[in-house]
Amino acid sequence: MGLIQFAKNVGKKLGLGDDDKKPQPAQAPQSQGAGGPTAQEVQQLEERKKEVALAGLLKQMGFNTESLVVDMEGDKVTLRGRVDTQADREKMVLVVGNHEGIAAVDDQLTVVNPEPEAQYYEVQSGDNLSKIAKQFYGNPNKYHQIFEANRPMLKDPDEIYPGQKLRIPPDAKA
């Protein structure tokens, strides 16, 4: 699917303990003889911690992560590997991208059983799932299709927020 943009300053926190800290001004790299890590090494360590946390979150949510590679560089995350379904692919991208501090996800995942792709929609102020369902399906009562398409990320249909991205699957005529 390629590069998907996200609102960097909204979303859930990864809960690494340092998520709530205010950004510190960049420090000058220490000299080789000082024995401490450079600013670049510290940033790389923080990125590795986030990669592990994101991979663990995907596994905890029930996604097959055996062949998954999560690579973070700055505020961009790249996902590589094989997934069973298009829905899993899209949900994994959303789980990762809807976290604070992540501005883009480069989706390099391969789908074993291809199916039609869903659309992505960025929640606007004043939106609710019924309003979004009316916009995409012409029927506000089809909000449950959007809710189900975004589980397990969404636990409650009323808990969406501006800037969050959602999957909007093709309309299942019912």
Side-chain angles (χ1 to χ4, degrees), residues 86-146:
Q86 183 68 27
D88 283 351
R89 174 189 198 177
E90 294 162 354
K91 288 179 181 183
M92 290 170 76
V93 168
L94 289 176
V95 165
V96 170
N98 281 321
H99 276 85
E100 190 172 295
I102 297 175
V105 176
D106 187 4
D107 175 9
Q108 307 261 330
L109 296 167
T110 304
V111 179
V112 175
N113 302 308
E115 53 195 39
E117 291 183 11
Q119 299 178 62
Y120 290 120
Y121 175 77
E122 186 171 322
V123 176
Q124 305 298 312
S125 182
D127 276 350
N128 59 47
L129 291 186
S130 292
K131 182 178 177 182
I132 297 167
K134 182 166 177 61
Q135 177 181 338
F136 284 92
Y137 304 140
N139 183 347
N141 293 324
K142 291 190 174 188
Y143 75 90
H144 60 87
Q145 282 183 222
I146 298 170

Side-chain angles (χ1 to χ4, degrees), residues 7-77:
K8 179 179 177 178
N9 297 320
V10 300
K12 296 180 181 180
K13 296 180 188 251
L14 282 172
L16 295 175
D18 59 354
D19 286 353
D20 294 323
K21 292 181 184 173
K22 300 211 185 257
Q24 300 291 325
Q27 297 176 355
Q30 297 179 4
S31 66
Q32 296 260 346
T38 65
Q40 181 180 9
E41 291 169 333
V42 170
Q43 180 181 352
Q44 288 173 342
L45 177 62
E46 292 301 315
E47 289 173 354
R48 293 307 146 297
K49 285 173 38 180
K50 290 178 182 177
E51 290 168 358
V52 169
L54 289 168
L57 178 63
L58 290 168
K59 184 174 185 173
Q60 178 185 9
M61 292 184 121
F63 295 108
N64 180 1
T65 60
E66 287 181 37
S67 67
L68 179 68
V69 174
V70 178
D71 186 31
M72 185 160 200
E73 188 172 328
D75 60 5
K76 180 180 107 180
V77 176

